[in-house]
């Protein structure tokens, strides 16, 4: 490396590392790509590559082939942060998001059945109903070897025929938008808190201690108020944090 | 009452009661006023008044003088529902919202001091700092005789001079907007879950049992990223539920 490139290498690495440390780039978010570094800082591709490698070696980010370099979750307590009320975040599948943060996702399906009778749920005082047939999927979702979320979804097979054939790693939400062309969608969610004791029959987390849990109820429906999906899930309260942004317009 | 007015009285009452029962009007929300009923259904003011009285006598709503008639919280477990990410909801003060739902609000201030040193908080990986002087207000918030929220707020006295003179029932947020003319505001919040044991030193709820709590961290800042307010609060997890709405545009 020439002296000037060396100087630039140091400057760019420091800048990006500082941006990660101050939270400008959050866990799971992309840092600039090789090409972006080249054009933004006017450096050679060798220097750009070395910058990304240095950041990776620092343990701050991880390159995923063909996708980009993503900031790892390094918070001391390793809480996962999820943004509520964001459609953009909803589109990203559960597993995809975990991978970008440096975790190894895994699912275990406890139940996958077709209910002919339909299903209903009360959320925030309103009743949401899906007529049968309905696909029920109950699965445990892991990050590395820890169960993080116990998820049960009910999906309308009338609105989404054959959605039971969707591969498990795919985002249901993306399928509603693209494969099933359901148009603009609304999501309503409520978040409750509860305590799971080890012997609680709802407790599939396998924890020996009492843990706090978030209880999520949600409904996704079309502009014509047809309900596409109902969900009841439990998140480990000691592992998750939910973020909300609001802004005046 | 004439026969036709009697018939209309029955029709309108049934319609509004049904709207409350199906959740079209949620706890804390206003039902139509006397004048709105008169113009909407083309009835006399006697009939409109009787409709509102009938709904009130049914225990479904409560009239607050000069404000309107509000749907009461009648859910079996009396969970309070608050909407996250809604500026409109933030504008409504804590106490005002409780009153509209049929509760008697009360505050007890544990600490109210001016810090000369400033304060900082990390929310979702970013640092938010208020330079001194800062007003610190730590208070317990009651619904009827139950402590629902343990709230600590830090407010910039540089951006909001003399805000310590604001009456306790006033909405801080409204003051930022109107009295202090801080322009458009952003809010970022994270919601965590935890467990409070009776002897936990953070536990000011006075409960004999272990309870789940929501842990709220929030920052309110201006478009110029000046931090107006930092908050760390605990909500009783067995008494609250948080709602989130998202919509594709």
């Amino acid at each position: 490396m020439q002296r000037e490139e060396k100087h630039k290498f140091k400057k760019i690495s420091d800048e990006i590392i500082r941006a990660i440390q101050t939270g400008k780039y959050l866990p799971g978010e992309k840092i600039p790509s090789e090409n972006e570094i080249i054009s933004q800082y006017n450096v050679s591709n060798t220097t750009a590559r070395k910058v990304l490698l240095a950041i990776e070696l620092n343990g701050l980010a991880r390159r995923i082939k063909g996708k980009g370099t993503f900031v790892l979750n390094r918070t001391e307590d390793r809480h996962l942060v999820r943004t509520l009320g964001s459609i953009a975040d909803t589109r990203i599948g559960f597993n995809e998001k975990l991978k970008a943060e440096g975790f190894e996702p895994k699912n275990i399906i406890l139940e996958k059945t077709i209910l002919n009778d339909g299903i209903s749920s009360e959320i925030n005082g309103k009743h949401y109903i899906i007529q049968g047939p309905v696909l029920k999927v109950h699965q445990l979702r892991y990050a590395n070897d820890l169960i993080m979320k116990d998820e049960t979804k009910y999906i309308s097979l009338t609105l989404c025929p054959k959605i039971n054939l969707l591969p498990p790693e795919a985002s249901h939400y993306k399928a509603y938008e693209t494969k099933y062309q359901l148009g603009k969608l609304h999501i309503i969610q409520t978040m409750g808190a509860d305590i799971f004791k080890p012997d609680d029959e709802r407790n599939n987390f396998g924890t020996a201690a009492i843990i706090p849990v978030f209880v999520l109820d949600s409904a996704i429906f079309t502009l014509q108020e047809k309900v596409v999906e109902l969900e009841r899930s439990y998140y480990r309260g000691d592992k998750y944090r939910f973020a909300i942004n609001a802004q005046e317009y």
Side-chain angles (χ1 to χ4, degrees), chain A residues 9-241:
Chain A
F9 161 79
K10 176 89 171 71
K11 182 181 163 291
I12 304 166
S13 321
D14 285 356
E15 205 170 303
I16 296 177
I17 287 172
R18 203 179 132 62
I20 294 173
Q21 284 167 342
T22 57
K24 194 188 153 201
Y25 302 119
L26 293 174
E29 286 183 359
K30 254 189 232 188
I31 63 173
S33 68
E34 204 176 300
N35 285 332
E36 282 163 353
I37 293 174
I38 293 169
S39 68
Q40 211 176 312
Y41 296 95
N42 191 27
V43 291
S44 68
N45 57 5
T46 315
T47 301
R49 219 172 296 143
K50 282 195 175 157
V51 165
L52 290 176
L53 190 64
I55 293 165
E56 222 183 325
L57 289 177
N58 244 308
L60 294 174
R62 193 172 69 157
R63 182 181 293 225
I64 298 179
K65 242 186 169 169
K67 296 252 180 182
T69 302
F70 295 86
V71 178
L72 290 174
N73 187 324
R74 303 159 305 106
T75 52
E76 239 170 75
D77 54 2
R78 305 256 290 183
H79 269 83
L80 299 178
V81 180
R82 295 292 173 266
T83 302
L84 294 170
S86 155
I87 293 281
D89 256 42
T90 305
R91 268 192 204 112
I92 303 169
F94 190 91
N95 290 357
E96 199 183 322
K97 183 88 182 159
L98 277 181
K99 265 188 213 160
E101 288 168 322
F103 295 97
E104 203 52 61
K106 189 173 77 178
N107 302 340
I108 287 181
I109 294 178
L110 299 184
E111 187 186 349
K112 185 171 178 176
T113 40
I114 292 175
L115 311 175
N116 290 313
D117 278 351
I119 188 89
S120 80
S121 173
E122 196 193 316
I123 301 172
N124 203 358
K126 295 192 196 188
H127 286 277
Y128 296 88
I129 297 165
I130 307 182
Q131 309 290 350
V134 173
L135 174 68
K136 176 182 179 184
V137 186
H138 180 185
Q139 59 184 332
L140 301 179
R141 292 186 168 274
Y142 291 73
N144 300 339
D145 287 316
L146 215 60
I147 303 169
M148 302 297 276
K149 183 185 179 190
D150 177 352
E151 172 189 295
T152 305
K153 282 188 181 183
Y154 300 89
I155 303 170
S156 165
L157 281 162
T158 314
L159 294 175
C160 309
K162 299 192 178 168
I163 196 159
N164 46 327
L165 304 181
L166 204 72
E169 68 279 8
S171 153
H172 285 127
Y173 194 84
K174 261 194 202 154
Y176 305 151
E177 286 184 308
T178 53
K179 186 168 158 55
Y180 297 106
Q181 305 270 341
L182 296 177
K184 287 188 180 158
L185 297 172
H186 288 247
I187 305 178
I188 176 147
Q189 301 179 304
T190 63
M191 192 63 87
D194 210 334
I195 285 172
F196 275 5
K197 297 186 177 155
D199 61 351
D200 192 318
E201 60 174 26
R202 297 168 305 169
N203 187 353
N204 290 315
F205 292 108
T207 48
I210 299 178
I211 54 165
V213 290
F214 286 108
V215 183
L216 175 90
D217 284 292
S218 89
I220 301 179
F221 47 96
T222 68
L223 277 190
Q224 296 77 40
E225 306 229 341
K226 286 187 184 158
V227 183
V228 185
E229 179 193 293
L230 294 172
E231 179 177 349
R232 155 60 69 106
S233 290
Y234 303 104
Y235 288 87
R236 272 189 71 156
D238 54 341
K239 297 291 174 188
Y240 272 93
R241 203 163 287 146

